[in-house]
Amino acid sequence: MKILRRHWGLVALVLLLTAWWTTQVGPGVLYLLSGAVVLWSLFQAPAWCGAATRSRGGFCRNNSRGLLLGCHLREHRWQKFKMLFYSSRWAAFSRGTWATPSAKLATVSGLIGSVSAIATGIKDFVLS
């Protein structure tokens, strides 16, 4: 059960890909599954912290939840989220999203969810 609580977003991803494959579900289901996958990858997927440390250009290697949140250290919790608002820090943020296999999985899942939501909107707009 613990593994299902940590990786429920992957179940949503499989359901999303199956829903696109069958093409018999409405846009509401696609939006819901896409949103669930994106939220999981941003805020709950197992990932690497990657926040800047006080050592010479080092990055935190603790585990974190989601691509936007840091690890258990108070200083790191929102540091990654704040990186998004400074263009000079985008390279450091994006480096952390590809650092480990679990972070890569979370990044790819988030991209698939985002593209799915955009494609659903285009499909819904064209067909209506």
Side-chain angles (χ1 to χ4, degrees), residues 77-126:
R77 283 193 187 141
W78 292 99
Q79 186 178 4
K80 283 176 59 177
F81 184 72
K82 289 185 223 175
M83 282 184 189
L84 294 176
F85 297 103
Y86 300 102
S87 60
S88 61
R89 299 261 181 147
W90 286 354
F93 175 77
S94 64
R95 189 184 107 188
T97 59
W98 300 102
T100 62
S102 60
K104 290 176 187 176
L105 182 63
T107 303
V108 170
S109 298
L111 290 173
I112 290 172
S114 300
V115 169
S116 172
I118 293 168
T120 301
I122 292 170
K123 178 181 161 186
D124 192 30
F125 178 75
V126 170

Side-chain angles (χ1 to χ4, degrees), residues 45-75:
W48 180 55
C49 176
T53 60
R54 292 181 181 157
S55 64
R56 298 178 187 157
F59 291 94
C60 178
R61 294 185 181 174
N62 290 332
N63 293 328
S64 70
R65 292 184 147 223
L67 296 173
L68 289 183
L69 301 179
C71 64
H72 66 282
L73 299 173
R74 183 178 53 87
E75 296 86 12

